[in-house]
Amino acid sequence: MKQKKINTISKKIIVHILVILTIVLMISIIYFLSSLGTEKELSFHIYFLQALTGIILFILPPIYFNIYICIPKLLIKHKYVLYLLALIMVILIWGFIIGYIEPWIDTYWFDQPSEKATLQSGILVMVFIIGISTLLHLSFRWFVQLSKVKQIENDRLTYELSMLKNQIKPHFFFNTLNNLYALALEKAEETPFVILKLSEMLRYTIYDCKAAKVSLAKEVLYIENYIALQTIRHYNRGKIVFNKSISNPSIKIAPMILIVFIENAFKHGYEKMDQNAFLDVTLTTSETEVSLIVKNNYDPAQHQSSDGLGLNNVKRRLSLLYPNQNELSLSNKNNQYTAALKINL
């Protein structure tokens, strides 16, 4: 941990040095080119040394003192009066240095024409330097803080989505395994079919669903397998219809979003009716939209609210994965329950 911190500081120092040298080089080139052919023309290395001296001695100290001491220790901690006093002190001290010492160095170190030394000019330069550096530094801190908050929020949402995925209950698999056991005892012809379909569904939930999004083709295959197995389990209860019109099977969608409504229709309607049950599933898609309509009847004597964990789960996932991109309507009329979902991709 300590070594990592040292490496980070070393990289930061190297970056600062490279930035400073780049600025010095640019200033030197500008002054050198502007002086060509004039009486003030000097060799390039003189301009380079002059710019380097000016930045290191007169500009960097007040900037670093402000952004590494005054801002984090005073301004960020809401010690506004102390921060203001510190800035006034910095402006006055370095205003004096820039106003009087900087012209002297230019004259006696770099053989520049003598300039009139004034405290006022030094203070004005310092006000500009402190003002610009403070605005830039606070803007950078705000941007970094915003990025951290965004990352924390993304991590939280990722964790919540992961937990919501893990809450999908495996009751169907347990029920299917029980039916598979019964079929195996009876040596029924459907046994290999059930094993194959259940294997495909397990592969999808264990492996494919790890991805944030899957192809619509895989989600549809899961739904078809689910309906096929339910048809075997409840072959004498009624009629199941799955109509689909898919323009592009490769479009991506969040996994296990659509199946919840079909599971609800079976659990709260179809499975509880002895006969004349029906379940109608219609899936239509375009390049930009997925539409699912699930209709089922139910026995009012055994009907319970279907707004349980599974439905609340999928509502939350929709709000996280497709904010302002989904429309969900649920209706209950004449012993018929309808769920209509639209997702804008």
Side-chain angles (χ1 to χ4, degrees):
M1 187 70 178
K2 186 176 181 181
Q3 183 62 40
K4 185 177 180 180
K5 186 176 182 180
I6 292 173
N7 291 338
T8 302
I9 294 174
S10 299
K11 289 179 181 178
K12 197 171 184 179
I13 292 173
I14 292 172
V15 170
H16 277 233
I17 291 173
L18 291 176
V19 171
I20 291 168
L21 290 177
T22 301
I23 295 173
V24 169
L25 185 62
M26 291 175 62
I27 293 174
S28 305
I29 291 173
I30 292 172
Y31 272 99
F32 177 72
L33 293 177
S34 63
S35 68
L36 291 176
T38 66
E39 295 180 356
K40 297 181 179 180
E41 181 179 347
L42 300 172
S43 61
F44 177 79
H45 78 277
I46 296 296
Y47 289 112
F48 183 85
L49 291 174
Q50 187 177 4
L52 183 64
T53 302
I55 289 177
I56 291 177
L57 293 182
F58 306 120
I59 297 179
L60 289 184
I63 290 178
Y64 281 168
F65 181 76
N66 180 34
I67 65 177
Y68 286 112
I69 296 178
C70 295
I71 290 178
K73 294 186 179 299
L74 299 177
L75 182 62
I76 301 302
K77 294 182 178 180
H78 309 293
K79 299 178 180 179
Y80 302 119
V81 175
L82 291 177
Y83 177 70
L84 183 61
L85 292 174
L87 283 191
I88 292 174
M89 179 189 71
V90 171
I91 289 172
L92 290 176
I93 292 175
W94 253 269
F96 174 83
I97 293 173
I98 291 176
Y100 289 97
I101 298 179
E102 194 269 340
W104 182 87
I105 289 178
D106 286 344
T107 301
Y108 292 98
W109 286 15
F110 302 106
D111 197 26
Q112 293 288 318
S114 177
E115 296 180 4
K116 184 179 179 181
T118 62
L119 179 61
Q120 183 179 2
S121 63
I123 290 176
L124 290 176
V125 170
M126 276 307 306
V127 169
F128 177 78
I129 291 173
I130 291 296
I132 293 296
S133 63
T134 301
L135 288 175
L136 290 176
H137 182 70
L138 291 178
S139 299
F140 177 74
R141 287 179 70 100
W142 174 81
F143 177 78
V144 170
Q145 189 67 24
L146 189 65
S147 299
K148 289 181 179 179
V149 170
K150 188 68 176 177
Q151 184 61 47
I152 292 172
E153 180 67 15
N154 289 338
D155 291 343
R156 186 187 67 79
L157 293 180
T158 301
Y159 175 76
E160 184 175 352
L161 284 170
S162 176
M163 293 298 294
L164 289 171
K165 272 188 184 180
N166 292 334
Q167 286 177 8
I168 298 173
K169 292 193 174 288
H171 294 318
F172 168 74
F173 290 109
F174 290 124
N175 290 334
T176 304
L177 287 172
N178 288 333
N179 285 338
L180 181 60
Y181 175 71
L183 290 171
L185 289 178
E186 297 173 4
K187 298 182 180 180
E189 295 180 357
E190 297 93 341
T191 304
F193 177 81
V194 172
I195 293 174
L196 177 63
K197 294 300 179 184
L198 187 60
S199 172
E200 291 178 350
M201 295 178 70
L202 284 171
R203 185 182 300 111
Y204 179 75
T205 55
I206 293 173
Y207 297 108
D208 295 334
C209 286
K210 288 181 178 180
K213 292 188 177 181
V214 298
S215 67
L216 185 61
K218 290 183 177 180
E219 183 79 359
V220 170
L221 179 60
Y222 181 83
I223 293 172
E224 289 175 335
N225 287 336
Y226 179 87
I227 292 176
L229 292 180
Q230 289 284 33
T231 302
I232 292 174
R233 288 183 62 203
H234 309 289
Y235 67 92
N236 60 345
R237 293 183 187 272
K239 185 179 180 181
I240 302 173
V241 178
F242 181 28
N243 296 310
K244 59 182 184 294
S245 175
I246 300 174
S247 60
N248 182 4
S250 64
I251 60 175
K252 299 292 186 178
I253 189 171
M256 307 296 285
I257 283 285
L258 306 179
I259 190 65
V260 174
F261 302 98
I262 301 170
E263 287 177 337
N264 262 19
F266 275 106
K267 180 179 178 181
H268 298 285
Y270 197 91
E271 291 181 4
K272 294 187 177 182
M273 298 188 67
D274 294 328
Q275 57 184 356
N276 299 323
F278 80 84
L279 191 150
D280 192 323
V281 180
T282 303
L283 176 65
T284 57
T285 73
S286 66
E287 292 294 333
T288 59
E289 184 181 271
V290 172
S291 174
L292 176 72
I293 301 176
V294 181
K295 299 179 181 179
N296 67 277
N297 61 347
Y298 61 86
D299 183 353
Q302 299 188 43
H303 181 66
Q304 295 178 350
S305 173
S306 60
D307 194 12
L309 177 63
L311 199 54
N312 290 329
N313 181 309
V314 78
K315 286 178 180 178
R316 179 56 180 161
R317 288 184 68 205
L318 284 168
S319 68
L320 295 175
L321 294 169
Y322 300 101
N324 303 318
Q325 294 175 259
N326 75 90
E327 296 179 21
L328 175 61
S329 63
L330 307 172
S331 64
N332 186 352
K333 294 180 180 178
N334 301 322
N335 298 335
Q336 178 177 306
Y337 194 83
T338 302
L341 172 66
K342 286 185 180 180
I343 298 176
N344 295 319
L345 302 175

